[in-house]
Amino acid sequence: MARIREAGGTAEAVEADLADPAVAKALFDQAEKAFGPVEILVNNASGWLSDTFSPAERDGFGRPLRPVDAETHERLFAVDVRAPALLIAEFARRHLERGASWGRVIGLTSGGPDGFPTEVSYGAAKAAQENYTMSAARELGRHGVTANMVHPPVTDTGWVNEKVAIAVAADGVLPEVAQPDDVAEVITFLASHQGRRVTGQVVKMY
């Protein structure tokens, strides 16, 4: 769900199914109608489920697991890979067509090159999104666009329970669960003038 507020108007809720390939263009059309040219793209939306190659039925937090299959792959890659790629492509097309010289692409990732056990399709999808974003950094830099990924720590977006908080306190580099504002401030920096020389990076938070 996105909210687009027109100047002097009320917020309009826009439902967007990012698994639909046609949505990227439609979202840019809506945003440009309300605000004008899009200069900052944040790929924050994400699908999620727990899947695994192991025979385990639950993960370490007691959440149910399912085996990797075509459905888990399709559900996660449609939203976490194809949608960001199409959104970056639409951003780039419009940026170049209007001869713009300033832009930002920022994505959010999890896991890393060592994989993401018990969330293997999610981790693989985020790794693919990271690769698309690094390519955007190399290809669009000469057109004034920076592109980076943010790797947040465990963040309390409504799913963190006491067991998760205890695990973070015991094993985390920093002992507190992060808050959404902590992540938003890093994204704001990358989107700002201060972040103008930062591109092609995965900013790992703790």
Side-chain angles (χ1 to χ4, degrees):
M1 178 77 74
R3 289 194 180 275
I4 296 175
R5 184 182 297 276
E6 298 184 12
T10 58
E12 176 188 358
V14 179
E15 291 190 10
D17 179 5
L18 289 175
D20 179 355
V23 160
K25 181 179 182 301
L27 284 176
F28 273 87
D29 287 344
Q30 293 256 11
E32 288 187 353
K33 180 181 177 182
F35 300 113
V38 176
E39 296 180 309
I40 301 170
L41 169 64
V42 179
N43 279 316
N44 184 42
S46 181
W48 179 86
L49 54 78
S50 291
D51 63 353
T52 180
F53 296 123
S54 80
E57 295 183 354
R58 294 191 176 275
D59 67 11
F61 299 110
R63 298 175 297 187
L65 290 169
R66 58 183 293 180
V68 174
D69 58 20
E71 182 184 356
T72 64
H73 179 278
E74 174 60 24
R75 283 176 58 187
L76 286 167
F77 272 65
V79 174
D80 288 8
V81 182
R82 186 174 64 200
L86 294 178
L87 288 164
I88 294 171
E90 190 68 19
F91 175 92
R93 182 182 69 79
R94 296 178 188 231
H95 180 90
L96 295 173
E97 281 184 353
R98 67 176 184 271
S101 60
W102 190 97
R104 300 286 188 265
V105 174
I106 303 164
L108 280 87
T109 188
S110 300
D114 293 331
F116 204 140
T118 72
E119 300 176 34
V120 297
S121 292
Y122 176 76
K126 286 296 186 180
Q129 183 188 146
E130 179 182 320
N131 202 273
Y132 274 119
T133 305
M134 298 303 104
S135 292
R138 298 292 297 273
E139 293 184 349
L140 300 178
R142 65 183 62 249
H143 303 287
V145 176
T146 65
N148 295 283
M149 298 290 288
V150 175
H151 188 313
V154 174
T155 305
D156 188 1
T157 55
W159 68 277
V160 173
N161 57 29
E162 183 179 1
K163 191 171 184 179
V164 173
I166 291 171
V168 170
D171 299 328
V173 174
L174 297 176
E176 301 87 10
V177 172
Q179 297 301 310
D181 282 354
D182 298 326
V183 182
E185 288 172 3
V186 174
I187 294 171
T188 299
F189 166 76
L190 292 173
S192 73
H193 178 72
Q194 284 75 18
R196 65 193 179 279
R197 301 296 300 186
V198 181
T199 194
Q201 302 298 311
V202 179
V203 180
K204 187 171 178 60
M205 298 177 63
Y206 293 95

